[in-house]
Amino acid sequence: MGLGEYRKKRDLKKSSEPGGGESSKNIFVVQKHDATNLHYDFRLKMGDVLKSWAIPKGPSLNPSEKRLAIETEDHPIDYAEFEGKISEGNYGAGSVLLWDKGEYENLKDSMFQSYEDGKIEIELHGKKLKGRFGLIKLKNSKKNWLLIKAKDEFSSKKNVLKNEKSVKTGKEIEEID
Ligand code: MN
């Protein structure tokens, strides 16, 4: 997989989104995306791309709240810094807020194997999301996964989504321009 599908869907000159460039450490980001339907884009750096899932209800720190995560096209690594407005008429038009960002640790042997097997186990070191998470692909589904918080010292029944501000700018979604 590469960035072909990502680029195909966008006119990058018009949409102001990154086109794909350099890489860095094992990072993850969550971008709150006020598109046609509000969702949270969960992205994990794997190799030269950000593997991406759209989570309609957003992530949860509560292990009993399994959140549907729909796999979307790989994004370029530099998308991890993106916050801004995708203008009308472009794919995914609407505001993107950098809701969380940090490093992650793979808890298994190989991320690529975990991805292929549909069973990713990671520990997140974000500002909002911390601790162990599983990302489990649903059987007989091409794109549907579940994001599940594992029980640890960071699991909580508090609604983490109430912390709405950007970790990059401190803005709320209405303030993004
Ligand atoms: Mn999105």
Side-chain angles (χ1 to χ4, degrees):
M1 256 197 245
L3 293 170
E5 196 181 344
Y6 173 87
R7 294 197 180 103
K8 209 164 63 191
K9 284 184 170 172
R10 292 167 174 78
D11 183 339
L12 292 166
K13 282 185 191 123
K14 287 186 190 157
S15 76
S16 83
E17 296 165 287
E22 79 268 37
S23 59
S24 56
K25 320 164 259 208
N26 264 1
I27 47 154
F28 85 94
V29 293
V30 181
Q31 283 153 323
K32 185 175 181 178
H33 187 185
D34 191 12
T36 312
N37 296 301
L38 180 79
H39 59 272
Y40 292 75
D41 289 300
F42 183 77
R43 310 190 197 279
L44 294 175
K45 180 179 179 293
M46 271 178 66
D48 295 334
V49 298
L50 295 172
K51 287 283 168 200
S52 298
W53 292 263
I55 306 180
K57 289 188 172 176
S60 174
L61 295 177
N62 185 342
S64 64
E65 291 180 345
K66 298 173 181 169
R67 292 293 163 82
L68 177 66
I70 303 154
E71 191 173 0
T72 57
E73 74 274 22
D74 295 348
H75 275 53
I77 301 295
D78 49 357
Y79 206 94
E81 287 300 320
F82 182 67
E83 177 168 286
K85 205 162 212 165
I86 303 170
S87 50
E88 284 303 320
N90 289 292
Y91 181 76
S95 298
V96 175
L97 176 147
L98 192 54
W99 184 82
D100 200 11
K101 182 172 187 212
E103 292 187 26
Y104 80 86
E105 284 172 64
N106 171 28
L107 301 177
K108 292 164 82 181
D109 289 342
S110 149
M111 272 304 276
F112 291 96
Q113 192 59 50
S114 299
Y115 172 79
E116 286 303 319
D117 294 344
K119 261 188 153 188
I120 292 170
E121 289 173 29
I122 47 178
E123 183 162 340
L124 301 181
H125 303 280
K127 295 213 166 78
K128 300 173 185 176
L129 299 183
K130 296 177 197 286
R132 288 181 290 120
F133 284 79
L135 196 51
I136 311 296
K137 194 174 191 177
L138 292 175
K139 286 202 176 84
N140 306 318
S141 174
K142 267 195 174 151
K143 293 185 170 177
N144 291 348
W145 299 58
L146 293 174
L147 180 68
I148 308 165
K149 180 76 194 76
K151 280 194 186 125
D152 61 19
E153 68 266 41
F154 298 108
S155 47
S156 163
K157 286 185 176 164
K158 266 200 298 190
N159 181 3
V160 70
L161 302 179
K162 280 198 169 165
N163 189 348
E164 296 174 296
K165 290 195 163 92
S166 162
V167 294
K168 185 177 183 180
T169 59
K171 289 181 179 175
E172 295 192 15
I173 197 111
E174 299 79 14
E175 301 172 291
I176 304 281
D177 44 31

